[in-house]
Amino acid sequence: MPLLRSALWLRDKAIDRTRRAFLAVLRAGPIPQHVAFVMDGNRRYARIKGMKVLQGHVDGFVALRRVLEICSTLDIKYVSVYAFAIDNFKRPKEEVDGLMRLAEKALLELCTHGGVLAEHGVRLNTVGKITLFPPEVQVALAKATELTKDNHRAVLNLCMPYSSRDEMTTAVEETIHDALLRGKNEPITEQDIEDHLLTAKVNSPPLDILIRTSGVNRLSDFLLWQCAENTQVHFIDTFWPDIGLLDLLPIILDYQRKIWSY
Ligand code: FPP
Ligand code: MG
């Protein structure tokens, strides 16, 4: 038994060292400013493993924490994640209720002492129509936002309940409303609309990298305005709950290669 324990200890140490080496190599090159994730594949992951759907989402939350740790270590300043689409309200009630309970718990865990946002100085910005959420989730979001408001190292744009079309429609409405209030008959510019996007609240730069997991090649109405001429889009086969450093390594290296080749 002590021999087995020593072998496991050595294996864990080797994994940890390799991980640190990968991160150090990546940190030596240019780091993207803004990376976004469509966290897809939680239910298929659960089904394949014979788990309940909700366990897939719980494991998806663990993966979110893992990815945020990696992004913080790499000093990525803005991370945006698609946590709940407006369309997701159409899913079975049991799943939606479970996701709401998970969101409430997860938010406080991320932001309170020992949580990844608190530990790494990350500010939380909710991007979405939060009034569609039940009151308990709205309260948790307000609390989490307040708890992280003085964090300045990085930003997490938590997109929920979100759709790009909804974000853009609201931005156009607010732009027109402001223009009418000013009473000036000036043309509305792209910049005016951009300034009213929910990601503009925290000055999010254009997206450098967009990653969608689970082998699905769709954008699903996510950050369409924020995608820019140079946004690299990566569709990877890994289910979201399984995502890790080995998935991110080739993507960041590819980004660095492109930056160096400009
Ligand atoms: C997409 O997979 C995932 C979701 C709709 C929920 C994402 C939620 C989390 C990762 C954890 C919650 C975190 C917070 C902070 C609320 P899917 O359900 O579409 O799976 P499928 O593509 O296999 O059907
Ligand atoms: Mg899906």
Side-chain angles (χ1 to χ4, degrees):
M1 203 57 182
L3 194 65
L4 178 65
R5 211 173 296 141
S6 307
L8 289 175
W9 182 81
L10 278 174
R11 187 202 60 182
D12 289 349
K13 205 167 166 58
I15 291 174
D16 189 49
R17 281 194 163 201
T18 314
R19 214 183 109 78
R20 282 165 194 260
F22 281 156
L23 287 166
V25 167
L26 290 179
R27 269 206 308 265
I31 294 296
Q33 267 200 297
H34 189 176
V35 178
F37 297 91
V38 180
M39 309 187 287
D40 198 19
N42 291 358
R43 293 183 297 187
R44 277 166 286 159
Y45 160 94
R47 232 170 269 138
I48 283 171
K49 291 192 176 262
M51 298 168 165
K52 293 216 161 103
V53 162
L54 204 61
Q55 189 57 44
H57 294 311
V58 171
D59 289 3
F61 171 62
V62 176
L64 173 61
R65 266 197 328 231
R66 189 162 63 239
V67 166
L68 290 175
E69 288 276 355
I70 296 171
C71 292
S72 290
T73 311
L74 290 176
D75 214 15
I76 295 172
K77 298 290 181 207
Y78 289 82
V79 175
S80 299
V81 294
Y82 207 173
F84 194 86
I86 292 179
D87 248 19
N88 288 158
F89 281 115
K90 294 181 190 148
R91 290 190 177 190
K93 184 173 171 353
E94 195 188 343
E95 186 186 351
V96 175
D97 289 350
L99 271 167
M100 294 302 109
R101 283 195 302 276
L102 174 64
E104 201 185 333
K105 201 166 137 246
L107 279 162
L108 295 178
E109 195 195 310
L110 285 174
C111 300
T112 45
H113 185 67
V116 61
L117 301 192
E119 289 295 290
H120 293 276
V122 183
R123 176 177 171 193
L124 178 76
N125 177 41
T126 310
V127 174
K129 247 199 174 61
I130 50 176
T131 49
L132 296 177
F133 276 144
E136 314 81 75
V137 179
Q138 292 188 40
V139 169
L141 276 170
K143 222 180 208 168
T145 307
E146 174 65 21
L147 279 168
T148 63
K149 73 175 189 320
D150 295 323
N151 293 349
H152 295 297
R153 275 201 59 214
V155 167
L156 171 64
N157 285 315
L158 188 62
C159 301
M160 59 182 227
Y162 179 81
S163 86
S164 245
R165 282 159 188 260
D166 176 69
E167 184 191 25
M168 289 193 265
T169 307
T170 309
V172 171
E173 273 171 8
E174 288 179 359
T175 307
I176 294 171
H177 182 258
D178 285 1
L180 289 174
L181 275 185
R182 281 202 309 274
K184 287 190 187 157
N185 194 13
E186 290 163 357
I188 287 173
T189 64
E190 272 185 23
Q191 190 60 49
D192 292 328
I193 294 175
E194 186 150 332
D195 290 345
H196 286 86
L197 294 174
L198 292 166
T199 47
K201 266 196 292 179
V202 287
N203 300 319
S204 309
L207 268 181
D208 294 308
I209 301 178
L210 172 66
I211 302 169
R212 182 177 187 142
T213 52
S214 87
V216 174
N217 298 7
R218 289 196 302 260
L219 293 175
S220 297
D221 215 348
F222 184 52
L223 297 183
L224 300 182
W225 184 292
Q226 291 81 351
C227 280
E229 200 183 333
N230 290 324
T231 306
Q232 287 181 33
V233 183
H234 293 264
F235 298 105
I236 60 173
D237 288 337
T238 310
F239 291 135
W240 174 258
D242 284 325
I243 192 169
L245 181 58
L246 288 184
D247 295 291
L248 300 183
L249 185 73
I251 294 174
I252 308 277
L253 286 174
D254 186 47
Y255 169 83
Q256 297 184 329
R257 191 180 51 77
K258 282 185 182 136
I259 294 283
W260 277 319
S261 67
Y262 284 148

